Structures are given as structure tokens and as C-alpha cells.
Amino acid sequence: YNETKAKLIEAGIPKKEIAFIHSYKSESTKLKLFEDVNSGKVRILLGSTFKLGIGANVQRRLKAVHHLDVPWRPADMVQREGRILRRGNENENILIYRYIAEGSFDSYSWQILETKQKFISQFLEGSAYQRSSSDLEDNVLTYAQVKALALDQPLMKKLAETENELRNLKKLREQEAANKKRILDSLPDREKALAEARTRMSASKQLTAYSEKLGKDDIQKLKELLAPVITPEFIADPESKFVSEPFTVTVPVKQPEKDKYIHLNCFGASFPIKTSNSASGNATRVINFIKKSAEYYKEISKTCESLSVKLAADKKTSSRAGKYDSRIEALQKEYNELFRKVYEESIEED
């Protein structure tokens, strides 16, 4: 602490603007310190994770946090960065520095921290697929690996980089495989939806041809035929049925409490039409739907085209070779070769 403070003063920071959290013992003095940090009187605050963690509300003017060592638990890192990454910080952009001594044990400490956080995240997300896990403290580095880290062996650095890249690619491959499975599972439903849309398209085309033949007298007769039938009582009975070639009017088995509807069945397809409490109004709605069938035909044609294009794309995606397979295979060989060289060098040194 004193060495850091001395260097800061040497760099031009006034002594009164530097504080150590452990110098403030009582709660009242700590609160006063936090006020000074938030007001800008104290510009640099140093402390341990434990003393400068929970309860240190000093975020208002914080610009940077510096990790001078590697904590043992991911929760410690969260607490540290929680001092600056929180609501109430007036700085739009902040800086986070993490220091590591090249060729030291720091690299392994960060690796341990990363592994722990990865396991915790998987557990909380429910995405961990391993059946069991063991405490990382039980894992022991061989003397050769520790020595290689301490000696800053270039091969070890390359091995770690290759391992990280390999891990990332495998994660991407897992996501790709999950996406393919999701698409494959959805194909039957998509094919069914397209088949139904095509049936409705064909039916709406035939209904359009039918409507084009209707004259004013035909429409009036149809209305007089429908009006006495499609009453609220008709709509309330799921067994209701009315036939007038070329269509049939039926009622769905399950109706919503509001926005009740009927089915206009014709040319092999069924079209839902909303209803009201007016029998005459219901007859008008059916006739309007028939008269506008040409517009519906255009809409359903576009839907069919869109579904067809999407289905073709999904089939292509699901059958495509893995995007990352060849790269993973090549990188795995490279990793194995590096691992072999590192092992042989460590044996030779021993």
C-alpha cells in the first residue's frame, strides 16, 4: 500500500487525495470517506476486497478500477467491479484494469477463476450437462507445468492460446448443432403449415371464381338465406350446421367468451369469420368475406411463398456440413502436437 501511494505521489497526485480504506475504522469515519470520494476530494481509494466490497457506495465519480491481484472466488471479482459498475455513476465510460505478471503463476490463477465462473454460470443457467463436478482445489498442477509457467515457456503460452480457441470453436459448434436440432424438430410443423396454407390458397382461388359469378340478385338471395340462420343461438351451439352449396357454415367446438366466430367451409378449406349479436350483420360479414376472397388469395399466396422459401432454407441449413468441424479437427491436431512437445520438454528438463 505504502509503495503504491509513494509512486502515486511521485507521479503528481496530492497526498490528501489518496486514501486507504483500512485507515478508517468506525462506520462514521467510513461514511465520511465515502462522501469525500463521491465529492471528488479523495480521488484514489485503495483497499482489500473484503474491506472495500459490500457497503462501499463510492460509485458517483469513479472512472477506473485496478485489480492488483487475482481473487480466488468469482464472487470477489463481482464485489470489486460492483463498486464501479452500478447505478449512480456519473461517468458514461469507465475503465477496468487487470494486471498480470507474465511468466508468473498469475495465468493459472486467472484460469482457475475462469473455470469456477464458467461452472457457476452453467449451474445458474441450468445449462451444465456434466453429471458430476469436483472441487478445483483437488486439481494439482504437475511440477513441470508450474516450472513452465514460472519460466515463461513460449510453448505453454501457445498451448493455452490454442486451447482457448479450441474451446470457443467447440462452443460455437455446440450452438450450431443445437440450432440444427431446433430446425429439424420444427420441420414437420413447418411442412404442415405450408400444406395447410396451400390448401387455403387453392380454396380461396376457387371462392374468388365463385364470387365473381355472383350478381346483385344472387348476393341479395344469399343474404336472405343466411340472415335467419346465423343467429346468436346458432353461434352458441357447437353442433350447428348450415349447408348452401358450395359452402357450409359451422361453429367451432370451443368458442372464446368474446369475439365469437363461425367457420366458412368451402373447397376443402375452413375460414374463420368473426360474428356479432346481429343475425343480419353476420350474414353481411359472410358475404363480404366471399366478395373479398380475391384479396385474401393474394395475402395467402404471399404467405405460401414466404413459408416455402423459409422451409427450403431450413432444410438446407439442417443438412449442411458443420461450419466448424474442419477447423476444430485441424486445431485439435495442433493442440495435441503442442501438448506432446511441452510434455517432452518438461521430461527433458526433469
Side-chain angles (χ1 to χ4, degrees):
Y1 283 85
N2 290 330
E3 181 68 17
T4 303
K5 184 175 182 179
K7 289 186 179 297
L8 290 170
I9 294 171
E10 186 181 334
I13 306 296
K15 182 178 179 181
K16 63 180 181 179
E17 294 181 359
I18 305 170
F20 299 154
I21 185 67
H22 56 253
S23 299
Y24 299 79
K25 307 294 183 183
S26 67
E27 287 301 315
S28 59
T29 56
K30 283 181 182 178
L31 288 174
K32 180 62 172 64
L33 169 64
F34 297 160
E35 289 176 7
D36 289 343
V37 174
N38 282 323
S39 67
K41 290 181 181 179
V42 172
R43 292 171 58 202
I44 297 173
L45 180 59
L46 290 91
S48 65
T49 306
F50 179 75
K51 290 185 178 291
L52 201 53
I54 298 173
N57 299 315
V58 292
Q59 69 274 6
R60 189 183 305 164
R61 296 172 183 265
L62 288 190
K63 184 63 180 176
V65 61
H66 298 256
H67 298 289
L68 299 181
D69 62 359
V70 189
W72 186 240
R73 301 175 302 178
D76 296 334
M77 184 63 73
V78 172
Q79 282 303 321
R80 289 182 181 191
E81 296 184 354
R83 300 316 93 212
I84 193 170
L85 292 170
R86 61 191 309 181
R87 191 174 298 175
N89 192 329
E90 296 173 358
N91 289 306
E92 197 168 319
N93 299 306
I94 55 99
L95 299 166
I96 295 177
Y97 293 92
R98 294 167 180 161
Y99 299 94
I100 184 168
E102 188 175 18
S104 74
F105 201 75
D106 284 356
S107 58
Y108 183 68
S109 298
W110 279 104
Q111 180 184 320
I112 287 292
L113 195 66
E114 177 191 9
T115 306
K116 285 183 175 182
Q117 184 59 60
K118 183 179 178 183
F119 175 81
I120 291 169
S121 299
Q122 287 178 336
F123 179 79
L124 293 176
E125 292 171 4
S127 60
Y129 53 84
Q130 293 89 345
R131 287 185 175 271
S132 62
S133 60
S134 59
D135 195 355
L136 290 168
E137 281 80 354
D138 292 337
N139 293 335
V140 180
L141 275 179
T142 64
Y143 291 120
Q145 285 174 309
V146 175
K147 184 168 62 177
L149 284 170
L151 294 172
D152 188 24
Q153 188 185 85
L155 275 177
M156 281 296 293
K157 184 179 179 182
K158 178 64 177 174
L159 183 66
E161 290 172 349
T162 305
E163 184 179 18
N164 286 336
E165 187 180 354
L166 195 57
R167 185 193 308 160
N168 290 334
L169 286 172
K170 285 181 177 179
K171 187 69 177 176
L172 289 171
R173 184 170 65 178
E174 287 176 12
Q175 293 172 357
E176 180 187 52
N179 185 51
K180 281 186 178 181
K181 185 179 184 306
R182 178 184 59 79
I183 290 173
L184 277 171
D185 290 344
S186 69
L187 284 181
D189 290 336
R190 290 183 181 276
E191 289 172 340
K192 182 180 178 182
L194 178 58
E196 290 175 352
R198 283 174 173 166
T199 299
R200 293 163 75 83
M201 182 177 70
S202 174
S204 61
K205 185 177 181 179
Q206 294 177 70
L207 186 60
T208 300
Y210 167 78
S211 68
E212 289 173 348
K213 295 177 182 178
L214 292 176
K216 289 184 179 180
D217 292 341
D218 296 322
I219 291 173
Q220 184 60 34
K221 287 179 182 179
L222 189 57
K223 186 172 183 179
E224 291 173 357
L225 188 66
L226 290 169
V229 176
I230 313 177
T231 61
E233 292 76 19
F234 178 90
I235 298 166
D237 184 2
E239 295 185 3
S240 295
K241 185 176 182 180
F242 172 75
V243 181
S244 177
E245 293 298 337
F247 57 81
T248 303
V249 178
T250 57
V251 179
V253 176
K254 291 184 179 179
Q255 283 273 29
E257 291 185 9
K258 296 181 179 180
D259 298 326
K260 295 184 182 299
Y261 64 98
I262 55 174
H263 280 150
L264 181 67
N265 310 286
C266 56
F267 306 111
S270 180
F271 303 97
I273 299 175
K274 287 185 179 180
T275 60
S276 66
N277 291 324
S278 167
S280 177
N282 291 333
T284 301
R285 292 185 182 205
V286 172
I287 292 168
N288 286 340
F289 180 84
I290 294 172
K291 289 166 67 176
K292 292 181 179 179
S293 55
E295 295 177 16
Y296 182 74
Y297 172 72
K298 290 180 181 178
E299 291 178 11
I300 195 67
S301 296
K302 290 180 181 178
T303 300
C304 283
E305 184 180 355
S306 176
L307 287 172
S308 181
V309 170
K310 186 68 172 69
L311 183 61
D314 284 347
K315 285 182 176 179
K316 186 177 180 180
T317 299
S318 62
S319 61
R320 188 183 298 150
K323 182 179 177 182
Y324 306 99
D325 291 348
S326 59
R327 177 60 183 152
I328 288 174
E329 185 180 354
L331 206 61
Q332 186 67 59
K333 289 180 181 178
E334 183 180 345
Y335 174 82
N336 293 341
E337 181 62 20
L338 283 168
F339 189 88
R340 183 186 62 77
K341 288 181 179 179
V342 168
Y343 177 77
E344 287 177 354
E345 286 191 9
S346 65
I347 295 297
E348 289 174 4
E349 290 172 6
D350 289 337

